[in-house]
Amino acid sequence: MLGNRSPPTYKQLATGTGGSASSVSNLGSNSKSCSGHHYQQAYLGHSHACYHHQQQQQQQQQIQQQQLGHHHHHHQSHSHGSRTSLTPTMKRGKKNWGSRERSSMSFLIVILFFAVFGLIILTEVFMIDERSHSGLMAMRAGGGGGASLGGRMGDSMPDYDNVKDDYDLDDSILSDNKLGFIQFRDNKLKIQEAAGADGQRPRYAGMLLNGAAGGGAGGGAFGVGVGGGAANGLNMPLIPWGQLLPDKVEETLPHFPFGTAPSDGAWQVVNGTRFKFFVYSAYFDRRDGARLVRVIGATKTRGPERVWCRFWYGPTPLNNSESSASTTRAKYTSATVMARVKIIRENWNLKYSACFVLCPVRAPLLDVPQYVSVVSRLRAPPGNLLTLRNTDHDADFAQPLANVSGSGTGTGDSRRPLPHPPPSGEQIPDRMAVCVKPFHFSYDQALYLMEYLEFYALLGVSHFTFYNHTLGPRASCVLQSYQRGQIPGNLTAFDLEPLPPSEAANNATPRVLKSLHYQRPTVSILPWNLRMLSQKEIRTEGLFAALNDCLYRTMYRYKYLALVDLDEFIVPRYTDTLNELLSSLNQRFRNRNTGAYSFQNAFYYLQFADDPLASSGIPGGNDQLGSVRASLVTQRKTRRRYKLHPQKQRSKYICKPEAVVEAGNHFVWEFSPGMGSLNVPPKEAILQHYRVCEFGGNDCIKAPSIMDRTTTKYVNRLVQRVDAVYRHLRQRCDLPALPTLPKRPNAQSEMQHKEKPKLLQKMRELNAQQDGKEQVSAQSSATTNQQQVKATTRKTTTTTTTKTKTTTTTTTTTTTAKPKNPLKDATTTTTTTTRTTAATTGNAKQIAPPANVRRKRKMIVFDLDEMGVPIARVEYH
């Protein structure tokens, strides 16, 4: 067959990647033709070309075998696990594609996270409202005389409404439809109107909008029947904050709660709320022409629930005595006002905080009520009844009794005080009160409590207000004794004002400090049974409610009010009382807009060592007075931290109550319009704060400190007052014993201690006399020695003239003298000359005295310093 094959026609080999079948067939035919007979004969001269062609043929066959093996392996991989083998180019493409995919996915995940986070924030801010779950339906007002329920839901009054002040109660605020809402479902405010248009259609307790009458069919201004009027079946007008419910609706509400006793200063519950809501006291605020009922309470910090104020008006005092119980019940009327809850700013972001419930009394529609109740459900009976304070009928401001009987006889007369508005401005008594946050942890430091009361009484404070959360038996007995006036009120002691160093150097006479206007302080103790967990639900037993209650409770009764803790004392530097300090500041600064005086804080750490003067007793006093002084913290701890805290950081203040709207712990949060605070310079007065290290341990005492004994100018008066109260209440209140003073030496050691200075003086006199005698003897010996020296010098000069005979002559002279101890004489002359040279040169080196002069003795002498401590020193006699 090879012979029959025709010789191949040579063509140029393709360098590209052609088809495999054609290339293989061509190569096969060429190889066969190259190995044939005709190939050998025709191309015998071309063996080199054939060899080259064979090499190419072998290479192509190897490539073909590799490809066939690759396809075979590919089929096996599919049959044994469906695995794919990729070329390097495919692998690089897959790798690049995966990195891009991962980067894009990471970017999308980040974008998705921020989108979800933003959606949650927007939902929390704009869409979620806890009050919607309690059945409160907020609506925007429509046109005409009503509003439609088809408006936007959830638009309610903000939690912290600072748009207007509390006293800006103009019509624009009262007509703001954003402040309106209606209690609809859970609070069951579906009320049948007594005289409706049809008499049968149910009515809702509508809320008067803008005080305008009008409405849809069968509705009127105060409520429209369900199922008629608007297209949606309901048409309810809104009542903004401060508006009244209509009289027809008011008549259907529960009457005066005769089973509840009116209270002033006790926590009462507001029924029907989802969260805790308590009220404590109510005050009538008339400043700047406003007529506002301000209720002190505690409720939820974020999103407080909406409440109403129900004002109660009782029978007039003129005919109260002649009325029976049934007529008295009938004469109690009510008026219901939409309230606004204002959260007090200082709440530490806890769940509950103190608050104001603000209810305006709009004239001339309403008079000032006698009582007020805060309710969340109008149809439910009130769960609280508060006596309204600071009104014209308040017993603290009423005029003396007057006869109001019509007959004028002695029988049946009714003597009642005449109503009178509270004083204002300069008419307020120039007195000072102190407010203290609630007692807690069963406080029972009776002795320290007496020191606190008496020290501030010496500073001019006349009244204290305390709140009893948990109080120990001894401290409770002490406060009740002050409250009932069962303590002695005498004060005869006086103190001497410490002189500054410049005046003390000039022997100036110190000023005598006497408390001529001292008065026994009065005390008010109010219960504080707030049912909230301290430091978990509310801050420190709700202290901000207590501070603001005390603020309005002392308003118009005292000109100044200090809000301090039990371990804080505001001590003036150059004046004796706080009233004198504030009067001096007012005269120097002449600022009529001052509503508060702020004092910087200084820590007197209790870890500092006690002042030794505290245990030195009282001059002219007994051991009892010395023990009292040693137990007083203000006298023992006189070292303070050198650096003071800046203003509004741990500072405390004295304020004018009528100039403050909202009081804080360290500064005033809100003043009346036009009023402000004055920062008192520390050279005038500071806040002395006695406490342990604020961060635990004892590292606080390593800070730079200074001795400050300003409180010692009250020591004699304070010790006398505390001692008098302690002696009077020791048995009644079972007070603990006073700390004992450090042990003093016995009588014999005291006599020796007293005689020691005398002995030292006598020893010094004797030593001085001996020194005089020694000096006289030394002078006489010095003169004799000088004479002997002169004689010897003369002899030596005569002997030096003839050197050959000097030895015999000198020998004869010396032998004729016959000295007993020639070495002693030589020593005497040398010592005399050295002493004279020492005296002339002023050398202080001690030289051994001559034989006939008494040597000085080294003695250790003890002297007493100003504290009576012996100090040793060395003297030579």
Side-chain angles (χ1 to χ4, degrees):
M1 292 182 64
L2 294 173
N4 296 330
R5 189 179 298 273
S6 61
T9 58
Y10 290 94
K11 297 181 180 180
Q12 186 177 1
L13 294 176
T15 58
T17 58
S20 62
S22 61
S23 61
V24 170
S25 62
N26 293 332
L27 290 172
S29 61
N30 293 334
S31 63
K32 289 179 180 180
S33 60
C34 185
S35 61
H37 178 71
H38 297 286
Y39 181 83
Q40 295 176 357
Q41 289 180 358
Y43 302 100
L44 184 61
H46 302 281
S47 60
H48 180 72
C50 185
Y51 175 78
H52 181 70
H53 183 72
Q54 288 179 357
Q55 293 293 331
Q56 291 182 354
Q57 181 182 359
Q58 292 177 1
Q59 292 178 358
Q60 293 296 333
Q61 287 178 358
Q62 291 178 0
I63 293 173
Q64 183 180 1
Q65 291 177 1
Q66 290 179 358
Q67 289 180 356
L68 290 175
H70 170 71
H71 286 293
H72 180 70
H73 178 72
H74 178 69
H75 289 296
Q76 286 182 354
S77 64
H78 277 287
S79 61
H80 295 284
S82 299
R83 295 182 181 177
T84 59
S85 60
L86 301 177
T87 61
T89 304
M90 296 176 64
K91 290 181 180 180
R92 286 195 300 270
K94 183 177 180 181
K95 182 177 180 181
N96 296 334
W97 180 85
S99 62
R100 288 196 300 269
E101 182 185 21
R102 284 194 295 270
S103 62
S104 61
M105 287 298 294
S106 301
F107 179 74
L108 289 177
I109 289 173
V110 172
I111 294 299
L112 182 62
F113 171 77
F114 280 104
V116 172
F117 183 75
L119 182 61
I120 293 173
I121 295 299
L122 293 176
T123 305
E124 289 286 342
V125 173
F126 296 106
M127 298 179 63
I128 294 180
D129 189 1
E130 293 181 353
R131 288 158 290 186
S132 62
H133 301 291
S134 63
L136 300 180
M137 188 175 295
M139 301 174 295
R140 297 182 66 89
S148 176
L149 284 176
R152 188 179 68 182
M153 310 302 292
D155 187 10
S156 60
M157 182 169 56
D159 299 339
Y160 299 92
D161 189 4
N162 295 326
V163 179
K164 293 288 184 179
D165 293 333
D166 299 340
Y167 308 112
D168 192 3
L169 305 178
D170 53 1
D171 295 336
S172 62
I173 290 297
L174 294 178
S175 62
D176 188 1
N177 53 20
K178 292 183 179 180
L179 301 180
F181 69 94
I182 181 171
Q183 299 184 358
F184 178 67
R185 188 173 56 204
D186 292 346
N187 293 338
K188 300 179 180 179
L189 296 183
K190 185 184 289 186
I191 302 173
Q192 295 287 343
E193 211 169 55
D198 52 5
Q200 297 179 356
R201 189 172 296 175
R203 308 292 182 187
Y204 284 87
M207 300 173 202
L208 186 63
L209 178 64
N210 296 335
F222 309 127
V224 179
V226 178
N232 56 7
L234 288 177
N235 187 14
M236 294 182 232
L238 295 177
I239 283 187
W241 166 60
Q243 279 285 9
L244 292 171
L245 285 181
D247 295 337
K248 294 181 180 180
V249 179
E250 189 71 35
E251 293 175 358
T252 62
L253 299 182
H255 297 289
F256 183 80
F258 289 97
T260 304
S263 68
D264 172 39
W267 285 107
Q268 301 182 58
V269 67
V270 177
N271 293 328
T273 57
R274 294 182 63 238
F275 300 95
K276 295 180 181 181
F277 203 136
F278 301 100
V279 291
Y280 188 78
S281 56
Y283 301 94
F284 182 62
D285 196 348
R286 66 184 75 197
R287 292 174 290 181
D288 297 330
R291 294 163 58 86
L292 186 69
V293 172
R294 188 182 295 269
V295 180
I296 307 295
T299 185
K300 192 171 181 289
T301 303
R302 299 291 178 179
E305 301 180 59
R306 307 305 186 204
V307 291
W308 303 73
C309 283
R310 299 202 63 190
F311 298 150
W312 304 104
Y313 301 89
T316 59
L318 297 178
N319 53 8
N320 188 23
S321 61
E322 300 176 359
S323 60
S324 60
S326 60
T327 57
T328 302
R329 287 175 178 268
K331 288 181 180 178
Y332 271 96
T333 60
S334 65
T336 303
V337 177
M338 173 104 174
R340 188 184 76 168
V341 179
K342 181 182 179 182
I343 300 297
I344 292 178
R345 297 174 178 86
E346 202 164 354
N347 49 62
W348 291 66
N349 292 326
L350 296 176
K351 184 177 181 180
Y352 296 98
S353 65
C355 69
F356 292 121
V357 181
L358 306 177
C359 309
V361 182
R362 303 196 67 191
L365 301 177
L366 293 178
D367 293 331
V368 179
Q370 298 180 9
Y371 309 102
V372 62
S373 297
V374 179
V375 298
S376 63
R377 299 182 181 182
L378 291 177
R379 292 290 287 171
N384 54 81
L385 186 62
L386 303 175
T387 302
L388 189 61
R389 301 291 306 272
N390 295 349
T391 62
D392 294 349
H393 296 278
D394 199 314
D396 295 338
F397 312 127
Q399 295 294 324
L401 299 177
N403 190 352
V404 297
S405 176
S407 60
T409 59
T411 59
D413 291 348
S414 177
R415 299 180 61 84
R416 292 185 176 274
L418 297 176
H420 188 272
S424 61
E426 299 298 332
Q427 299 177 357
I428 301 177
D430 190 8
R431 299 183 299 176
M432 184 176 294
V434 166
C435 292
V436 183
K437 67 181 182 181
F439 290 110
H440 53 279
F441 298 141
S442 299
Y443 183 84
D444 204 22
Q445 302 293 330
L447 187 61
Y448 181 80
L449 192 58
M450 289 188 293
E451 178 185 2
Y452 183 84
L453 294 171
E454 294 299 334
F455 193 94
Y456 268 112
L458 294 175
L459 292 175
V461 175
S462 57
H463 184 76
F464 294 87
T465 302
F466 297 100
Y467 296 88
N468 181 13
H469 182 265
T470 52
L471 193 61
R474 295 173 178 174
S476 178
C477 177
V478 171
L479 290 179
Q480 290 178 1
S481 300
Y482 274 93
Q483 187 178 17
R484 299 168 184 170
Q486 299 176 350
I487 58 172
N490 59 327
L491 177 60
T492 58
F494 62 90
D495 291 282
L496 298 178
E497 183 181 14
L499 295 176
S502 59
E503 297 183 4
N506 298 330
N507 297 327
T509 303
R511 183 167 62 98
V512 178
L513 301 177
K514 292 184 178 181
S515 299
L516 300 177
H517 303 286
Y518 171 83
Q519 293 182 356
R520 181 177 52 198
T522 58
V523 171
S524 297
I525 310 173
L526 300 174
W528 196 259
N529 53 345
L530 180 59
R531 287 174 287 177
M532 291 182 179
L533 297 179
S534 178
Q535 310 297 3
K536 294 183 179 180
E537 292 183 336
I538 197 169
R539 176 69 177 175
T540 317
E541 288 79 26
L543 71 98
F544 304 111
L547 297 180
N548 284 275
D549 173 79
C550 187
L551 172 72
Y552 288 92
R553 191 174 295 274
T554 57
M555 190 176 294
Y556 310 118
R557 297 164 179 83
Y558 300 91
K559 187 175 182 179
Y560 299 108
L561 175 66
L563 292 91
V564 292
D565 295 340
L566 283 174
D567 55 354
E568 297 171 343
F569 297 85
I570 301 176
V571 182
R573 296 287 183 182
Y574 305 113
T575 58
D576 195 40
T577 63
L578 293 175
N579 302 77
E580 296 175 0
L581 171 65
L582 299 182
S583 300
S584 175
L585 294 175
N586 293 334
Q587 292 178 2
R588 281 183 289 170
F589 293 97
R590 297 186 180 275
N591 189 359
R592 297 182 179 180
N593 297 329
T594 302
Y597 306 85
S598 180
F599 300 88
Q600 291 182 254
N601 176 76
F603 277 140
Y604 287 71
Y605 293 120
L606 299 182
Q607 285 92 335
F608 282 135
D610 292 348
D611 194 335
L613 292 179
S615 59
S616 61
I618 298 295
N622 51 18
D623 293 340
Q624 172 72 14
L625 297 178
S627 299
V628 171
R629 180 180 182 180
S631 63
L632 301 179
V633 178
T634 56
Q635 305 301 318
R636 291 191 298 111
K637 303 300 179 180
T638 57
R639 179 170 291 277
R640 66 171 175 87
R641 185 178 177 181
Y642 181 79
K643 185 178 180 180
L644 302 178
H645 287 82
Q647 292 288 350
K648 294 188 177 182
Q649 292 185 14
R650 296 189 177 272
S651 59
K652 289 301 175 70
Y653 59 93
I654 299 175
C655 67
K656 299 177 181 178
E658 71 278 3
V660 178
V661 176
E662 181 181 336
N665 190 17
H666 300 287
F667 54 89
V668 176
W669 278 105
E670 184 178 354
F671 285 97
S672 297
M675 306 303 289
S677 179
L678 173 65
N679 295 332
V680 180
K683 65 179 182 180
E684 300 291 340
I686 61 173
L687 177 71
Q688 300 189 179
H689 194 171
Y690 299 88
R691 58 161 299 164
V692 296
C693 297
E694 61 267 32
F695 302 110
N698 298 323
D699 293 338
C700 61
I701 62 177
K702 299 178 182 178
S705 61
I706 187 175
M707 184 73 70
D708 190 349
R709 292 176 173 172
T710 308
T711 55
T712 56
K713 65 180 181 180
Y714 303 97
V715 56
N716 294 331
R717 292 170 290 174
L718 181 61
V719 167
Q720 183 184 17
R721 285 298 307 155
V722 173
D723 179 65
V725 177
Y726 177 82
R727 289 175 180 271
H728 185 76
L729 300 179
R730 181 176 182 180
Q731 299 296 332
R732 179 187 303 176
C733 300
D734 191 20
L735 299 180
L738 295 175
T740 58
L741 291 175
K743 292 183 178 181
R744 295 183 179 181
N746 52 19
Q748 183 177 1
S749 61
E750 287 184 357
M751 292 297 295
Q752 294 178 357
H753 182 74
K754 293 180 180 179
E755 292 178 355
K756 187 175 292 184
K758 297 181 179 180
L759 295 175
L760 292 175
Q761 186 65 22
K762 290 182 179 179
M763 292 175 61
R764 290 171 184 171
E765 293 178 356
L766 293 175
N767 292 334
Q769 293 178 0
Q770 292 177 359
D771 291 340
K773 293 180 179 179
E774 290 177 356
Q775 291 178 359
V776 172
S777 60
Q779 290 178 359
S780 60
S781 61
T783 53
T784 55
N785 292 332
Q786 290 177 359
Q787 293 177 359
Q788 292 179 0
V789 169
K790 290 179 180 179
T792 53
T793 52
R794 288 177 182 176
K795 292 179 181 180
T796 53
T797 52
T798 55
T799 54
T800 53
T801 53
T802 56
K803 292 185 179 181
T804 55
K805 298 180 181 179
T806 48
T807 306
T808 57
T809 312
T810 308
T811 305
T812 55
T813 353
T814 53
T815 52
T816 53
K818 293 183 182 179
K820 296 182 181 180
N821 192 354
L823 181 61
K824 183 177 179 180
D825 295 338
T827 309
T828 304
T829 56
T830 54
T831 53
T832 306
T833 54
T834 51
R835 287 185 65 182
T836 55
T837 54
T840 56
T841 57
N843 188 8
K845 186 178 179 180
Q846 293 185 356
I847 305 300
N852 54 356
V853 177
R854 181 183 175 183
R855 292 185 179 182
K856 291 185 177 181
R857 295 175 299 175
K858 184 171 72 173
M859 299 180 60
I860 300 177
V861 181
F862 290 91
D863 292 335
L864 299 178
D865 61 356
E866 58 181 4
M867 301 302 299
V869 179
I871 299 176
R873 61 185 180 87
V874 179
E875 290 185 358
Y876 291 91
H877 298 283

